[in-house]
Amino acid sequence: MESNDVDLLIINGENAAGGFGITPSIAEDLFDLGAHVITTGNHIWDKKEIFEYMTVPADSHVRGRRVLRPANYAVGTPGFGVYEGELPNGTKYAVMNLQGRVFMSSCDDPFRKADELLEGIKRNTGAKVILLDVHGEASSEKVALGWYLDGRVTAVLGTHTHIPTADERVLPGGTAYQTDVGMSGPYDSVIGVETELVLKRFLTGMPGKFEAAKGNPKMCATLIGCDGGTGRAHSVQRIMLGE
Ligand SMILES: [Fe+2]
């Protein structure tokens, strides 16, 4: 973070609790490490302690307010899918979290929900630096959202597949895009789970408890350079750090 002079750090923490969900104490650790906002996805409710942590007023800026769940979840779900904040240098920013619908459990239309969130940001803080974590399985849906939002947000970054994609680019309208940032976790695994356990499941179809693997840890990230005034991205860099 320091070596790259990062102003705004967003971490997807949906599986930070040993591969399944996130707890308030882990969220606190990630905030202590410098995260401004924590995004999540379909595993957000795996640890029920997080429900209360995220149940805070919409206009609050406490840490629990800065843990997002996808905005296109059902009305009445704890927490929020968008956060608007301000950096010490005065730059206003917004972070949006959406979940895809293809090959995933049902949720509202992420495209129209993105429109709705952007309208809200325009009315509220007018932030120009806007990042979207789109938590989705299908590349096509994430690519489509990238084009749909090109020129309207600073970055559209995909998560959920755990596999980093090599398609990072700045789209013509000035939106940085990558289909999937990839997992920070053990790469000697099947997307983070002990390989033997997953192989057994595929070979026999028998149920069994999945456990997080440990081998070959790597950290994946994506570094976006942008104009704080216009919100337009000018660079995007895929990062994978080894042990
Ligand atoms: Fe996920």
Side-chain angles (χ1 to χ4, degrees):
M1 187 170 168
E2 280 147 25
S3 63
N4 282 305
D5 203 16
V6 169
D7 295 308
L8 176 61
L9 177 64
I10 298 151
I11 296 176
N12 184 304
E14 75 148 350
N15 288 322
F20 304 95
I22 183 168
T23 62
S25 72
I26 290 169
E28 291 284 318
D29 288 346
L30 295 177
F31 286 124
D32 287 345
L33 286 168
H36 292 84
V37 179
I38 297 172
T39 54
T40 62
N42 55 308
H43 284 282
I44 179 59
W45 311 130
D46 283 8
K47 298 278 187 280
K48 54 183 181 297
E49 310 93 284
I50 204 70
F51 301 0
E52 198 184 328
Y53 187 72
M54 292 170 64
T55 304
V56 294
D59 59 357
S60 128
H61 294 273
V62 297
R63 287 177 159 190
R65 178 63 185 82
R66 290 184 278 128
V67 177
L68 302 181
R69 45 83 174 158
N72 51 339
Y73 277 13
V75 173
T77 312
F80 301 90
V82 61
Y83 174 76
E84 293 171 70
E86 188 171 334
L87 295 172
N89 66 13
T91 304
K92 290 174 181 162
Y93 68 90
V95 180
M96 314 193 300
N97 198 180
L98 290 167
Q99 185 167 306
R101 291 189 295 184
V102 181
F103 307 131
M104 299 194 77
S105 54
S106 72
C107 51
D108 292 343
D109 177 351
F111 293 81
R112 289 180 179 85
K113 180 56 83 172
D115 291 336
E116 192 185 302
L117 295 178
L118 290 173
E119 277 302 313
I121 293 165
K122 200 188 281 182
R123 282 195 306 272
N124 199 16
T125 61
K128 295 282 193 285
V129 175
I130 304 170
L131 290 103
L132 167 65
D133 173 350
V134 53
H135 199 75
E137 188 75 52
S139 304
S140 59
E141 191 177 24
K142 293 192 268 189
V143 171
L145 254 172
W147 286 114
Y148 187 67
L149 295 173
D150 183 26
R152 298 198 278 156
V153 302
T154 307
V156 173
L157 297 175
T159 56
H160 177 68
T161 70
H162 297 207
I163 306 297
T165 59
D167 61 340
E168 74 278 9
R169 62 182 287 195
V170 178
L171 298 172
T175 295
Y177 177 82
Q178 185 184 10
T179 297
D180 209 292
V181 173
M183 164 183 74
S184 290
Y187 276 76
D188 284 351
S189 70
V190 178
I191 62 169
V193 176
E194 281 291 354
T195 303
E196 284 304 313
L197 301 175
V198 179
L199 282 178
K200 191 174 166 199
R201 174 82 63 93
F202 275 117
L203 289 167
T204 68
M206 296 295 289
K209 193 166 178 276
F210 278 174
E211 282 170 28
K214 293 189 174 62
N216 194 20
K218 292 182 189 296
M219 193 197 86
C220 280
T222 301
L223 185 64
I224 311 289
C226 76
D227 182 312
T230 64
R232 281 179 163 239
H234 50 71
S235 66
V236 53
Q237 182 191 346
R238 173 167 42 98
I239 294 168
M240 183 187 256
L241 300 176
E243 290 186 56

